[in-house]
Amino acid sequence: MVFYENMLALNNICIRCAEREIVGVFGANSAGKSTLMYTLSGIMEDIRRKEAMAGGERITVMGRIRFLGMDISGMKPSRRARIGIILCPERRRIFKESSVLENLRIGAYLASPAKAKETLDYVFGMFPALVHLKKRIGGFLSGGEQQMLAIGRALMAQPKLLLLDEPLLGLSPLMQSVLVKATREIRDEKGVSIIVTEQYARPVLPIVDYAFILENGAAVMEGSGEDVINNPDVRSAYFGI
Ligand code: ATP
């Protein structure tokens, strides 16, 4: 559970993601998707501490998070990154003043030089559009290019669990399909487990093994991609059919 002051933002939620699985978490604006991603990546711990030190908002996080058999609740986000939990945040948050190559190199701070080189080649192979943009400053990239860069940067950190927070937000259907295909490839080729949030389930649902529907911070439904798409309430609320 996560409270912002007395506001319950995540309520009694139980999400699991097996190794090499893609799990989708779908919900409308303010359903709690980013709160969930911040909580899993540990950034919520940093936000909570900073707010407490500054005498600001009182944030309460309750419950347990387990990763590869370890209890990581309360673990700092930097340590979670070191054990393989990497967040690709909502609205990309690339380093806007740095070039594409610099953004990717910054992402590799946890990797050996050999791994960094190998992953850099992998990222450029997966997103050839970035090859010619190596020297381009991040802030001058289109939304889709920024998202490719953000995913590339997250891969450079050698994730075991990749958290993708609304990667398709505001992008064209064509770019969305490039990113959905890349997400599946990352799981298939790199063996990375992935939790992906989106407002609209339709573009992502074909690649998810399991899905949760989030409403007001609670998972109101869960099941295989097929279960979710066949549920009449979900169909009308999230697919407009
Ligand atoms: P969106 O799609 O708009 O990003 P979301 O599903 O990611 O939405 P969250 O950002 O997790 O939702 O927000 C969940 C709820 O918590 C919302 O009602 C939001 O207003 C509230 N909230 C988020 N961050 C804070 C904060 N720092 N202080 C107070 N309330 C917050």
Side-chain angles (χ1 to χ4, degrees), residues 9-191:
L10 276 188
N11 181 9
N12 207 10
I13 192 165
C14 179
I15 299 264
R16 56 188 178 277
C17 176
E19 262 176 70
R20 288 178 167 266
E21 228 177 33
I22 301 180
V23 167
V25 179
F26 304 109
N29 261 329
S30 299
K33 303 181 295 297
S34 297
T35 301
L36 175 67
M37 293 307 223
Y38 283 154
T39 305
L40 295 175
S41 60
I43 288 169
M44 192 56 83
E45 283 304 309
D46 266 6
I47 300 173
R48 187 177 64 75
R49 280 196 204 107
K50 273 185 202 138
E51 288 289 333
M53 267 174 4
E57 193 172 42
R58 185 167 45 92
I59 297 175
T60 314
V61 181
M62 288 153 80
R64 290 266 154 267
I65 306 173
R66 297 184 66 79
F67 180 65
L68 299 176
M70 272 174 285
D71 186 339
I72 61 162
S73 337
M75 187 187 276
K76 283 186 184 164
S78 54
R79 270 199 70 204
R80 292 191 209 195
R82 242 175 284 137
I83 60 172
I85 302 176
I86 304 294
L87 172 68
C88 184
E90 191 187 355
R91 291 179 220 290
R92 290 116 210 180
R93 300 192 194 243
I94 56 159
F95 301 110
K96 293 220 159 119
E97 275 94 56
S98 303
S99 71
V100 166
L101 203 52
E102 283 163 351
N103 265 277
L104 292 170
R105 292 219 167 106
I106 295 164
Y109 70 107
L110 293 169
S112 67
K115 266 275 168 215
K117 167 83 179 69
E118 180 195 312
T119 314
L120 196 64
D121 291 344
Y122 181 81
V123 170
F124 285 132
M126 187 166 59
F127 297 128
L130 292 182
V131 175
H132 306 291
L133 300 170
K134 273 182 197 170
K135 292 192 179 145
R136 180 80 52 91
I137 296 301
F140 293 141
L141 299 176
S142 72
E145 290 160 354
Q146 289 194 11
Q147 188 62 56
M148 290 190 272
L149 180 56
I151 292 176
R153 186 184 58 183
L155 284 182
M156 295 295 285
Q158 313 298 314
K160 289 195 178 78
L161 172 63
L162 179 61
L163 305 171
L164 296 175
D165 196 4
E166 297 198 54
L168 307 183
L169 191 72
L171 301 179
S172 70
L174 185 66
M175 183 49 68
Q176 291 191 355
S177 68
V178 168
L179 294 167
V180 168
K181 186 168 158 276
T183 304
R184 181 160 44 191
E185 266 175 39
I186 292 167
R187 189 273 305 276
D188 292 349
E189 293 169 4
K190 292 262 169 204

